[in-house]
Amino acid sequence: MARWSGCYDIERDAVVLHVHVQPGAGRTTVVGRHGDAVKLRVAAPPVEGRANSAVTELLADLFGIKASAVELVAGGKSRVKRFRLRGVDAETLDARLDAAVDDTGGPRAARHS
């Protein structure tokens, strides 16, 4: 079983990724696993959807897809969210998350500033 498999659901044409977001962080990055979710830090504050937009941009960049292929489907005003990613398969998702997080579970580098 893949390291990240409990953090997403497979749909016919998309993957739904479960994320736990820490808004207002010093930098935007993938932190690691947080229970059944991927923990993300975003520098944007949780005001007027700015943190959600920052997560959308981070996920699009991380998975090499357009921002329009990233859709917030649950948790708009919560730290716990679900994003539908069109154009990403489970194998790619696992590989990209592994590349974003080092073996100790910590972030490798910020994806955005």
Side-chain angles (χ1 to χ4, degrees), residues 10-64:
I10 305 294
E11 293 185 348
R12 280 188 335 202
D13 61 345
V15 174
V16 177
L17 183 64
H18 305 242
V19 299
H20 184 275
V21 179
Q22 179 184 342
R27 63 185 181 144
T28 297
T29 191
V30 178
V31 177
R33 193 167 177 142
H34 184 81
D36 289 336
V38 176
K39 185 169 183 180
L40 305 174
R41 289 186 182 135
V42 293
V47 176
E48 299 175 358
R50 293 196 302 201
N52 290 338
S53 294
V55 171
T56 297
E57 290 178 30
L58 173 62
L59 294 175
D61 180 55
L62 180 63
F63 298 114

Side-chain angles (χ1 to χ4, degrees), residues 67-88:
S68 61
V70 179
E71 176 189 4
L72 176 62
V73 293
K77 294 186 181 278
S78 172
R79 286 179 180 244
V80 179
K81 302 174 185 298
R82 290 188 329 216
F83 284 87
R84 180 176 291 117
L85 309 171
R86 290 182 312 278
V88 177

